[in-house]
Every structure is written in structure tokens, then in C-alpha cells.
Amino acid sequence: MRTVTKLAGFAVGLTAVFGATYGIGRVVDPTPVAESRHEAATTPSAPEHGGTADQLPGGLLVSERGYTLEPADAPAGEFAFRIAGPDGRPVTRYEVAHDKQMHLIVARRDLSGFRHVHPELGPDGTWRVDTPLTGPGQWRAFADFTPTGGEPLTLGVDVTVPGELTERPLPAPATSTTVDGYTVTLTGAPQPGRTSSLTLTISRDGQPVTDLEPHLGAYGHLVALRRGDLAYLHVHPDGTPGDGRTRPGPAVTFLAEVPSTGSYRLYLDFQHGGRVHTAEFTVVPGAAPTSSGPAPTGGADHGTPGHGHN
Ligand SMILES: [Cu+2]
């Protein structure tokens, strides 16, 4: 499962996560991007993932390629938003990706409070969900979706929940963490600008977990957020349940590329015992891990029931 061929094939797929989200915008973007991209691709000195708007990681923009994320009024306890399309109207048609038409990910600016939920689409194009914003603070909400006829897109918007906020320091880098009684160990280290293999191994009570349950079509979903700007990276594992080679644990392998140095928080969603659990790690690409022992998880509001997959 980790042959050179597989790695190479997956690297192509992953590059797509960062690099291939720029096609449709040509319709509304007057710059001659095809030429500049061609140059970038053939100039050896060009950075693979540089700082131009055309090569940004996902989630940094509230509006991209004509699509805009617009929070909407919602009753207490609910979070609502629309995606305005290139014609200014709310988009009502979406493709299913990873079992859902819309993935909503939220985290506070200090990288605490991560939740991944699936809102319901109303006929007017408004998405609604029981609010995943679990307390006061500056939050970032990411809508990860594919409009029908368009390319996959992740838009991000800031949302403030008023109240007294205690900023939480980012937990130190660690290669092991615990959540809901599971121990999750990370092997491999991401390298800026290079595809790296990350394997997350899950055990409980000292025993490897070998009966993970498929969750959104995979045995694990990994989201990485960059400290400072919350650049968003959603990585899927190498292999899918039922493909004849992917085992239901204890290890789930991802091939991930981070766009820069800095600190990142990794969030692994996996399902076992009928519930989704979220294990979190701080990683610093290019730096050696400073700890190999279990570290406390990042916050009290992780691993709570109702990680809604409705
Ligand atoms: Cu999702």
C-alpha cells in the first residue's frame, strides 16, 4: 500500500487539493493566467506553492472564482449561510463529495474548538446546522463544497461569538495524543513544499483498533490548519474502504503537503463504536517532534457527541 507507484499516484491527487482549484475562475478573471501558469510550471526557480493569489491554500478567501460565502441570520443555536454564485444568487445545486454536498469546518483563531459538521440545504440556498460554534471567540468557518458545474472550493469567513474569551495557547508539538479513551500516534513529519506520508495509528486500552468504521467514505479524514492565518488543507487517506487493500485500522495513512513552515494543527476524524472522534496534533514542518509521550488534547469541546453527520 506504500509502494513507490502508489505514493506517486497519490501525490498527483494531493497536488490537486492545493493546485487544481483554479480552473473555473478563468471565466471571471481577466488576467492571462494560462500563460503565467505555464511559465510557473516550466520555470525551475518558480516556487511550487508561492504567494500569488492563484496558488493560495484553501480557506483564506471569503470569495473566490465568483463564489462568495455569506453568513445568514439564524435563530439562537443555529448557524446559517449561503454561497452566492457568479450571478449573485444563492447556489442551490451542489455535487456530492465524500458523501456530502457541504462540509462545514469551524475552529477558533487560536485553533481550538474544531468541529466538522454537515448542514442541511434549504430550497432557497440557505444552509443550516445546529451551531458548531461552541463558545465565545473569533471563529473561522470553512465551507468545503463543489458547486454543480464548478470545481471544488473552500471559502472561509470570520464569525465572532461575543462573550468572555480565554485565548488558549497552542499545545506543544507531540506525536501521540488521546481522545475519548483512544490513543492516536502520528508517524512521519510534513515537509514544506513536499509530499510526506503521515500515518496515524489508533489504539484503545493498549490494543490496536482494527475495526474502524467508514466515515464519509474513508477510515479517516485529516484537516490541517495553519497557525496565524488558518490556511486550510483537507487531506484524504491513501485507500478507501472496500477497495480490497485498505484495512480498517489500526493505521490510516495520508499523503500531505504543507505549503510553508510554521505551526499547524492537525485534526483527524475517525469513526469507531458508532461515534466520530477527533484527535489533534500540533506539528511544525521541518522541525523534529519535541515529545513522543501522550499529550493532553486541545480542548474540552472536542470529541463531544453530535459531531453531526446528518
Ligand atoms: Cu464533512
Side-chain angles (χ1 to χ4, degrees):
M1 134 175 206
R2 294 171 64 182
T3 62
V4 169
T5 307
K6 288 282 170 11
L7 283 169
F10 207 80
V12 171
L14 188 78
T15 300
V17 171
F18 266 130
T21 55
Y22 308 109
I24 191 173
R26 304 305 136 242
V27 176
V28 294
D29 184 346
T31 43
V33 174
E35 282 180 42
S36 63
R37 289 192 71 202
H38 179 72
E39 271 173 35
T42 53
T43 304
S45 61
E48 218 181 340
H49 297 296
T52 71
D54 202 41
Q55 295 172 318
L56 285 175
L60 294 173
L61 303 178
V62 72
S63 185
E64 189 175 354
R65 286 186 267 134
Y67 294 89
T68 303
L69 171 54
E70 298 179 340
D73 290 337
E78 197 176 279
F79 183 74
F81 63 96
R82 289 182 279 272
I83 304 296
D87 61 0
R89 291 202 169 100
V91 176
T92 56
R93 293 174 62 229
Y94 295 83
E95 300 300 319
V96 170
H98 311 295
D99 283 358
K100 299 289 178 182
Q101 292 185 320
M102 177 64 70
H103 303 266
L104 179 73
I105 284 88
V106 302
R108 285 192 191 85
R109 281 274 171 197
D110 66 4
L111 299 176
S112 67
F114 176 91
R115 294 283 308 280
H116 175 167
V117 297
H118 301 106
E120 297 275 343
L121 178 62
D124 66 346
T126 302
W127 292 94
R128 297 182 184 279
V129 66
D130 288 347
T131 184
L133 308 175
T134 49
Q138 284 293 133
W139 292 83
R140 188 78 174 163
F142 302 94
D144 184 337
F145 64 95
T146 304
T148 294
E151 300 289 317
L153 194 55
T154 302
L155 302 177
V157 69
D158 284 338
V159 183
T160 302
V161 178
E164 197 164 327
L165 169 68
T166 308
E167 187 105 349
R168 296 161 215 221
L170 187 66
T175 54
S176 184
T177 190
T178 57
V179 58
D180 305 335
Y182 297 87
T183 298
V184 183
T185 303
L186 169 68
T187 51
Q191 300 294 323
R194 285 175 45 193
T195 300
S196 306
S197 173
L198 302 179
T199 297
L200 292 126
T201 305
I202 300 158
S203 65
R204 187 163 67 166
D205 302 328
Q207 298 299 312
V209 173
T210 56
D211 56 347
L212 289 175
E213 295 151 8
H215 167 52
L216 303 173
Y219 288 124
H221 288 263
L222 186 66
V223 167
L225 297 178
R226 181 166 63 188
R227 184 188 206 180
D229 64 2
L230 276 70
Y232 170 97
L233 171 58
H234 192 174
V235 192
H236 293 277
D238 183 10
T240 54
D243 66 3
R245 65 181 181 89
T246 303
R247 300 213 179 109
V252 186
T253 296
F254 299 84
L255 287 135
E257 178 180 325
V258 293
S260 70
T261 55
S263 295
Y264 291 77
R265 192 74 167 156
L266 305 184
Y267 308 87
L268 172 71
D269 280 347
F270 63 96
Q271 185 174 320
H272 190 247
R275 280 187 52 196
V276 176
H277 312 279
T278 305
E280 301 187 14
F281 297 85
T282 299
V283 297
V284 181
T290 57
S291 158
S292 59
T297 50
D301 46 4
H302 299 125
T304 49
H307 173 100
H309 295 91
N310 32 35

